[in-house]
Amino acid sequence: VFSNIDAALFYTKYKNYIEPNIVGDGIQFLNVPNANVLGVETNIQFDILENILSTKLGYMYLWARDPDKEIALKYRPRHSCSANFTARLEPFELGVNFRFQSKFEEIDDLTTTLIVDGDKHVPIYVTDLMLGYNFILSGMPAKINLSAKNIFNYNYVEFTGNLSPIRNYS
């Protein structure tokens, strides 16, 4: 049973777009005379088994370019995907979340000289788990969650030199 389907197409043409660039020991904001951002985003949410097993799937394609230099804008993944599955057997709830992001096409050239292995970018594959217990406390609905983030302890950077969170629990 489909609950929700959402899709969007977008296109933006920028003049004098400002983009941060790493220079020396700091960041300088520089104009990109022309920039184009074209993309599509889709999300589908539905119940596999009504009120028991549900899912939400998402995908975004992004074509962000500097047409004058014929290169991609920096630090933008072309593909992003997410998948969320939730199983409910009252009072328990189990969730699995997965996200993928393709590696960046362009980064600051200076980062590759200042940071060891600064050019080593990989796609992002992260899986999280959640176990919840629903109950009533003083007449009000309440929930306790146990979460495990990045369960496969995948090492990646979302920005050069900044290791993203390793496996953690809350």
Side-chain angles (χ1 to χ4, degrees), residues 52-56 83-89 91-99 126-134 143-152:
I52 296 174
L53 186 59
S54 62
T55 188
K56 182 176 182 182
N84 172 293
F85 298 93
T86 304
R88 291 176 198 84
L89 291 171
F92 297 100
E93 193 171 312
L94 175 66
V96 178
N97 297 303
F98 172 78
R99 74 182 168 98
V126 178
T127 305
D128 303 329
L129 292 177
M130 182 277 300
L131 177 63
Y133 177 73
N134 300 298
K143 181 187 231 178
I144 294 175
N145 277 335
L146 172 62
S147 295
K149 305 283 186 178
N150 194 3
I151 61 169
F152 298 114

Coordinates of all heavy atoms in Angstrom, one line a residue, residues 52-56 83-89 91-99 126-134 143-152:
I52 N 2.8 -2.8 10.3 CA 3.8 -3.8 10.8 C 5.1 -3.5 10.2 O 6.1 -3.4 10.9 CB 3.3 -5.3 10.6 CG1 2.1 -5.6 11.4 CG2 4.5 -6.2 11.0 CD1 1.5 -6.9 11.1
L53 N 5.2 -3.5 8.9 CA 6.5 -3.3 8.2 C 6.3 -2.2 7.2 O 5.5 -2.3 6.2 CB 6.9 -4.6 7.5 CG 8.2 -4.7 6.8 CD1 9.4 -4.4 7.8 CD2 8.5 -6.0 6.2
S54 N 7.1 -1.2 7.3 CA 7.1 0.0 6.4 C 8.5 0.3 5.9 O 9.5 -0.1 6.5 CB 6.4 1.2 7.0 OG 7.2 1.6 8.1
T55 N 8.5 1.1 4.8 CA 9.8 1.5 4.2 C 9.7 2.8 3.6 O 8.6 3.3 3.2 CB 10.3 0.4 3.1 OG1 11.6 0.8 2.8 CG2 9.4 0.4 1.9
K56 N 10.8 3.5 3.5 CA 10.9 4.8 2.9 C 12.2 4.7 2.1 O 13.3 4.4 2.6 CB 11.0 5.9 3.8 CG 11.0 7.3 3.2 CD 10.9 8.4 4.2 CE 11.0 9.8 3.4 NZ 11.0 10.9 4.3
A83 N 17.6 4.4 2.4 CA 16.5 3.4 2.6 C 16.3 3.2 4.1 O 17.2 3.1 4.9 CB 17.0 2.0 2.0
N84 N 15.0 3.2 4.5 CA 14.7 3.0 5.8 C 13.6 2.0 5.9 O 12.6 2.0 5.2 CB 14.1 4.4 6.4 CG 13.5 4.3 7.7 OD1 12.5 3.6 7.9 ND2 14.2 4.9 8.7
F85 N 13.8 1.0 6.8 CA 12.8 -0.1 7.0 C 12.5 -0.1 8.5 O 13.4 -0.1 9.3 CB 13.4 -1.5 6.6 CG 13.7 -1.5 5.1 CD1 15.0 -1.2 4.7 CD2 12.7 -1.9 4.2 CE1 15.3 -1.3 3.3 CE2 13.0 -1.9 2.8 CZ 14.3 -1.6 2.4
T86 N 11.2 -0.2 8.8 CA 10.8 -0.2 10.2 C 9.8 -1.3 10.4 O 8.8 -1.5 9.6 CB 10.1 1.1 10.6 OG1 11.0 2.2 10.3 CG2 9.7 1.2 12.0
A87 N 10.0 -2.2 11.4 CA 9.1 -3.3 11.7 C 8.6 -2.9 13.1 O 9.3 -2.6 14.0 CB 9.9 -4.6 11.8
R88 N 7.2 -3.1 13.3 CA 6.6 -2.8 14.5 C 5.8 -4.1 15.0 O 4.9 -4.6 14.3 CB 5.6 -1.7 14.3 CG 6.2 -0.3 14.1 CD 5.2 0.7 13.8 NE 5.8 1.9 13.2 CZ 6.0 2.0 11.9 NH1 5.6 1.1 11.1 NH2 6.6 3.1 11.5
L89 N 6.2 -4.6 16.1 CA 5.4 -5.6 16.8 C 5.2 -5.1 18.2 O 6.1 -5.3 19.1 CB 6.2 -6.9 16.8 CG 6.3 -7.6 15.4 CD1 7.3 -8.8 15.5 CD2 5.0 -8.1 14.9
P91 N 4.9 -4.0 21.8 CA 5.3 -2.7 22.0 C 6.7 -2.4 21.4 O 7.3 -1.3 21.6 CB 5.4 -2.5 23.5 CG 5.8 -3.9 24.0 CD 5.2 -4.8 23.1
F92 N 7.3 -3.3 20.6 CA 8.6 -3.1 20.1 C 8.6 -2.5 18.7 O 7.7 -2.7 17.9 CB 9.4 -4.4 20.1 CG 9.6 -5.0 21.5 CD1 8.7 -6.0 22.0 CD2 10.6 -4.5 22.3 CE1 8.9 -6.5 23.2 CE2 10.8 -5.0 23.6 CZ 9.9 -6.0 24.0
E93 N 9.7 -1.9 18.4 CA 9.9 -1.3 17.0 C 11.4 -1.5 16.7 O 12.3 -1.3 17.5 CB 9.6 0.2 17.1 CG 9.4 0.9 15.8 CD 8.9 2.3 16.0 OE1 7.9 2.5 16.7 OE2 9.5 3.2 15.4
L94 N 11.6 -2.0 15.4 CA 13.0 -2.2 15.0 C 13.2 -1.4 13.7 O 12.3 -1.5 12.8 CB 13.3 -3.7 14.7 CG 14.6 -4.1 14.1 CD1 15.7 -3.7 15.0 CD2 14.6 -5.5 13.7
G95 N 14.3 -0.7 13.6 CA 14.5 0.1 12.4 C 15.9 -0.1 11.8 O 16.9 -0.3 12.6
V96 N 16.0 -0.1 10.5 CA 17.3 -0.2 9.8 C 17.3 1.0 8.8 O 16.4 1.1 8.0 CB 17.4 -1.5 9.0 CG1 18.8 -1.6 8.3 CG2 17.3 -2.7 10.0
N97 N 18.4 1.7 8.9 CA 18.6 2.9 8.0 C 19.9 2.7 7.2 O 20.9 2.3 7.8 CB 18.6 4.2 8.8 CG 17.4 4.5 9.5 OD1 16.3 4.6 8.9 ND2 17.5 4.6 10.8
F98 N 19.8 2.9 5.9 CA 21.0 2.8 5.1 C 21.1 4.1 4.2 O 20.1 4.6 3.8 CB 21.0 1.6 4.2 CG 22.0 1.6 3.2 CD1 23.3 1.2 3.5 CD2 21.8 2.0 1.8 CE1 24.4 1.2 2.6 CE2 22.8 2.0 0.9 CZ 24.1 1.6 1.3
R99 N 22.3 4.6 4.1 CA 22.5 5.8 3.2 C 23.8 5.6 2.4 O 24.8 5.0 2.8 CB 22.5 7.1 3.9 CG 23.6 7.5 4.7 CD 23.4 8.8 5.3 NE 24.4 9.1 6.3 CZ 25.5 9.8 6.1 NH1 25.7 10.4 4.9 NH2 26.4 10.0 7.1
V126 N 26.6 3.8 4.9 CA 26.5 3.8 6.3 C 25.1 3.2 6.7 O 24.1 3.5 6.1 CB 26.5 5.3 6.9 CG1 26.3 5.2 8.4 CG2 27.8 5.9 6.6
T127 N 25.2 2.2 7.6 CA 24.0 1.5 8.1 C 23.8 1.7 9.6 O 24.8 1.6 10.4 CB 24.1 0.0 7.8 OG1 24.4 -0.2 6.4 CG2 22.8 -0.7 8.2
D128 N 22.6 2.1 10.0 CA 22.3 2.3 11.4 C 21.1 1.4 11.8 O 20.3 1.0 11.0 CB 21.8 3.7 11.7 CG 22.8 4.8 11.2 OD1 24.0 4.5 11.3 OD2 22.3 5.9 10.8
L129 N 21.1 1.0 13.1 CA 20.0 0.2 13.6 C 19.4 0.9 14.8 O 20.1 1.6 15.5 CB 20.6 -1.2 14.1 CG 21.1 -2.2 13.1 CD1 21.6 -3.4 13.8 CD2 20.0 -2.6 12.1
M130 N 18.1 0.6 15.0 CA 17.4 1.2 16.1 C 16.4 0.2 16.7 O 15.7 -0.5 15.9 CB 16.6 2.4 15.7 CG 15.9 3.2 16.8 SD 14.2 2.6 17.2 CE 13.3 2.7 15.7
L131 N 16.4 0.0 18.0 CA 15.4 -0.8 18.7 C 14.7 0.1 19.7 O 15.3 0.8 20.5 CB 16.1 -2.0 19.4 CG 15.2 -2.9 20.2 CD1 14.2 -3.6 19.3 CD2 16.0 -3.9 21.0
G132 N 13.4 0.1 19.6 CA 12.6 0.9 20.4 C 11.5 0.1 21.2 O 11.1 -0.9 20.8
Y133 N 11.2 0.7 22.4 CA 10.1 0.1 23.2 C 9.1 1.2 23.6 O 9.5 2.2 24.1 CB 10.8 -0.5 24.5 CG 9.7 -1.1 25.4 CD1 9.1 -2.3 25.2 CD2 9.4 -0.4 26.6 CE1 8.2 -2.8 26.0 CE2 8.5 -0.9 27.5 CZ 7.8 -2.1 27.2 OH 6.9 -2.7 28.1
N134 N 7.9 1.0 23.1 CA 6.8 1.9 23.4 C 6.0 1.6 24.6 O 5.7 0.4 24.8 CB 5.9 2.0 22.2 CG 6.6 2.4 20.9 OD1 7.1 3.4 20.8 ND2 6.6 1.4 19.9
K143 N 8.7 6.4 24.7 CA 9.5 5.4 24.0 C 10.9 5.5 24.5 O 11.5 6.5 24.7 CB 9.4 5.8 22.5 CG 10.2 4.8 21.6 CD 10.2 5.4 20.2 CE 9.8 4.3 19.2 NZ 9.8 4.8 17.8
I144 N 11.5 4.3 24.6 CA 12.9 4.2 24.9 C 13.6 3.6 23.6 O 13.1 2.6 23.1 CB 13.2 3.2 26.1 CG1 12.6 3.9 27.3 CG2 14.7 3.0 26.2 CD1 12.7 3.0 28.6
N145 N 14.7 4.2 23.2 CA 15.4 3.8 22.0 C 16.8 3.3 22.3 O 17.5 4.0 23.1 CB 15.5 4.9 20.9 CG 14.3 5.0 20.1 OD1 13.5 4.1 19.9 ND2 14.0 6.2 19.6
L146 N 17.2 2.3 21.7 CA 18.7 1.9 21.7 C 19.1 2.0 20.2 O 18.5 1.4 19.3 CB 18.8 0.5 22.2 CG 20.2 -0.1 22.0 CD1 21.2 0.7 22.9 CD2 20.3 -1.6 22.5
S147 N 20.1 2.8 19.9 CA 20.6 3.1 18.6 C 22.0 2.6 18.4 O 22.8 2.9 19.3 CB 20.4 4.5 18.2 OG 19.1 4.9 18.2
A148 N 22.3 2.0 17.3 CA 23.7 1.7 16.9 C 23.9 2.4 15.5 O 23.3 2.1 14.6 CB 23.9 0.2 16.8
K149 N 24.8 3.4 15.5 CA 25.1 4.1 14.3 C 26.3 3.6 13.7 O 27.3 3.2 14.3 CB 25.3 5.6 14.6 CG 24.2 6.3 15.4 CD 23.0 6.6 14.5 CE 22.0 7.3 15.3 NZ 20.8 7.7 14.4
N150 N 26.3 3.6 12.3 CA 27.5 3.1 11.5 C 27.9 1.7 12.0 O 29.1 1.5 12.4 CB 28.6 4.1 11.6 CG 29.7 3.8 10.6 OD1 29.6 2.9 9.7 ND2 30.7 4.6 10.6
I151 N 27.0 0.7 12.0 CA 27.2 -0.6 12.6 C 28.4 -1.3 11.9 O 29.0 -2.2 12.6 CB 25.9 -1.4 12.6 CG1 25.4 -1.7 11.2 CG2 24.9 -0.8 13.4 CD1 24.4 -2.8 11.1
F152 N 28.7 -1.1 10.7 CA 29.8 -1.8 10.1 C 31.1 -1.0 10.2 O 32.1 -1.4 9.6 CB 29.5 -2.0 8.6 CG 28.3 -2.9 8.4 CD1 27.1 -2.4 7.8 CD2 28.3 -4.2 8.9 CE1 26.0 -3.2 7.7 CE2 27.2 -5.1 8.7 CZ 26.0 -4.6 8.1

